[in-house]
Amino acid sequence: EEEEEDDDELFNEHTKEHTNVIFIGHVDAGKSTLGGNILFLTGMVDKRTMEKYEREAKEAGRDSWYLSWALDTNQEERAKGKTVECGRAFFETDKRRYTILDAPGHKNFVPSMVGGAAQADVAVLVISARRGEFETGFERGGQTREHAVLVKTAGVRTLIVAINKMDDPTVGWDKARYDEVTSKLTPFLKKTGYSPKTDIIYIPMSGYTGAGVKDRVGSACSWYTGPSLLETLDGLQSVERKTNGPLRIPISEKYRDMGTIVSGKIESGRIRINQKMMLMPEKHICEVSNIYGANEAEEKTAISGDNVRIKLRGIDDGLVQNGHVLVDLKHPCHITREFDALLIIREAKNIITSGYKSVLHVHTATEEVILSKLLHKVNAKNQRSRAPPPFIKQNEKCIVRIQTTKPICVERFEDFPQLSRFTLRDEGKTIAVGKILKLVETNTVNAAN
């Protein structure tokens, strides 16, 4: 009991609320530039570093990309101006601490983006207002549509739409262009499941000049008097955290550096140094050796919502994989190869029947799966058909049974939404989104055994 009281004192030190923000949108909308400028404006990257990036960018003939280099740190990303992995960075305002997840916009890298969306609380959809660029990102092949669908599936409730590049010569802060872009986006986002009144916030800005990012747009844009991006983020409603719930940390990456290091977002529960944990589905017991939070700072504790890196004691890095889940010994998670789920078909060229194979993305795990049975079709009033349908097609809902090739760690939607929402992808497209209703063949483990 004393230990628990000490724990509570330790955890009370986490006074500033922590929010994970993902930047999504088409490949050249300006996500990394905007993220880099936020780091600069909030003082996380100093002027000298920015000047160095500016010099290097000029030498590489990439003048306008220097802001994005604060987030895109590897050579490949800098050379092409494309984010490949989901970059991470931290910044603080007077009210909150934030982790930026900078998602890749290019369609080849969507699986990296899916992993980022699984960790996000809020999404900023960056849209280029430049003539031609918005149209490219929004037409069939563009990533704007798919990204919006993916973050909704990942459970991101609030979508801030940053209408970027308003300073571009083809736009010149023109209200007519802003209205044109928002009028095309609203019906689509509504169809995706976002309510225009409560879930979507539009902000005109320039990620490159910084207008509308930290400070309001001001005289450049007399028709918009609303808050800036950072003001909007600070004003959002708090995210409900399960700090006292069972521990769940889906692992998003692992590497070796004087020991085994894993990173991920704590979806539920809390951790402290020297705490014993279990790695599922392998059921290996390990211990927390160090916790690294924002900007590599060592922490004694971390709580639900935090994005952390953890050094583990007593486990070899070869045993750890992305999609494994760290849990506390008393409350292991479910392991299954078969579950029933509610599936919504988003995009399918042909009809889908039982035996259909695709790739499942659930929290940070990726697994090959088969739709083994179509159980019930679900109509618009959420009523189930008695007889199983012979096939399902685009825009239809169905309850299906899914089998995975290997055991995975998942939970029912009513118990843990974050470990239950998933997407099915095939041939580089998001075919369907869904949530797990029932685990058919399960296996939890009692730590006492």
Side-chain angles (χ1 to χ4, degrees), residues 178-437:
Y178 175 79
D179 290 344
E180 180 192 344
V181 170
T182 54
S183 67
K184 282 184 182 170
L185 281 170
T186 303
F188 163 69
L189 294 173
K190 193 174 176 184
K191 201 172 112 193
T192 309
Y194 286 101
S195 152
K197 284 201 176 104
T198 55
D199 305 338
I200 306 172
I201 303 162
Y202 288 107
I203 307 173
M205 67 171 65
S206 163
Y208 183 58
T209 65
V213 178
K214 185 181 180 192
D215 300 322
R216 299 192 175 197
V217 281
S219 56
C221 177
S222 53
W223 46 266
Y224 178 79
T225 52
S228 68
L229 176 62
L230 293 188
E231 285 178 296
T232 305
L233 285 171
D234 277 348
L236 292 174
Q237 226 177 332
S238 301
V239 182
E240 215 177 296
R241 304 281 188 211
K242 289 185 175 173
T243 310
N244 295 319
L247 180 68
R248 295 287 184 272
I249 313 175
I251 290 170
S252 57
E253 62 174 327
K254 61 113 189 193
Y255 54 92
R256 199 174 168 73
D257 181 6
M258 315 275 292
T260 303
I261 295 188
V262 299
S263 34
K265 177 186 170 191
I266 305 177
E267 292 293 0
S268 162
R270 49 200 198 175
I271 57 169
R272 60 188 169 81
I273 286 183
N274 298 332
Q275 180 178 338
K276 276 199 162 66
M277 297 195 288
M278 183 155 48
L279 180 74
M280 305 286 280
E282 305 292 336
K283 304 172 192 166
H284 293 296
I285 300 217
C286 53
E287 224 174 79
V288 179
S289 163
N290 303 68
I291 302 168
Y292 304 98
N295 296 327
E296 306 303 306
E298 282 208 39
E299 309 281 353
K300 289 181 183 165
T301 63
I303 60 170
S304 171
D306 286 346
N307 236 313
V308 289
R309 291 193 311 114
I310 307 164
K311 192 175 213 175
L312 297 175
R313 209 183 281 132
I315 191 164
D316 188 67
D317 67 316
L319 300 170
V320 186
Q321 286 177 8
N322 288 6
H324 282 180
V325 179
L326 285 168
V327 301
D328 57 273
L329 302 186
K330 288 181 187 160
H331 307 99
C333 65
H334 289 97
I335 309 168
T336 185
R337 283 179 185 227
E338 198 172 16
F339 55 83
D340 291 354
L342 175 65
L343 201 63
I344 302 167
I345 308 298
R346 285 271 172 210
E347 192 172 336
K349 286 183 214 156
N350 309 317
I351 58 170
I352 289 175
T353 58
S354 56
Y356 176 74
K357 292 182 177 178
S358 62
V359 178
L360 168 87
H361 292 267
V362 56
H363 56 87
T364 57
T366 309
E367 196 56 62
E368 289 181 11
V369 297
I370 294 180
L371 292 194
S372 55
K373 284 182 193 163
L374 306 182
L375 300 171
H376 312 279
K377 207 178 226 184
V378 179
N379 66 14
K381 293 179 182 168
N382 279 340
Q383 293 162 324
R384 301 178 178 194
S385 68
R386 284 194 182 158
F391 61 85
I392 41 176
K393 54 184 195 293
Q394 196 161 324
N395 296 328
E396 289 188 336
K397 275 189 202 175
C398 185
I399 290 170
V400 298
R401 180 155 297 176
I402 292 178
Q403 287 180 338
T404 64
T405 45
K406 290 190 202 134
I408 55 165
C409 302
V410 288
E411 301 282 2
R412 294 184 313 166
F413 187 78
E414 62 190 85
D415 302 329
F416 269 103
Q418 303 92 328
L419 300 187
S420 152
R421 295 189 185 93
F422 64 88
T423 56
L424 293 181
R425 290 178 49 81
D426 186 24
E427 294 179 358
K429 286 194 172 66
T430 302
I431 303 296
V433 298
K435 58 185 183 184
I436 297 169
L437 303 177

Side-chain angles (χ1 to χ4, degrees), residues 155-174:
V156 176
R157 289 202 192 114
T158 309
L159 191 65
I160 297 172
V161 184
I163 310 293
N164 194 18
K165 304 194 184 180
M166 287 296 289
D167 60 318
D168 191 79
T170 64
V171 185
W173 295 97
D174 179 18

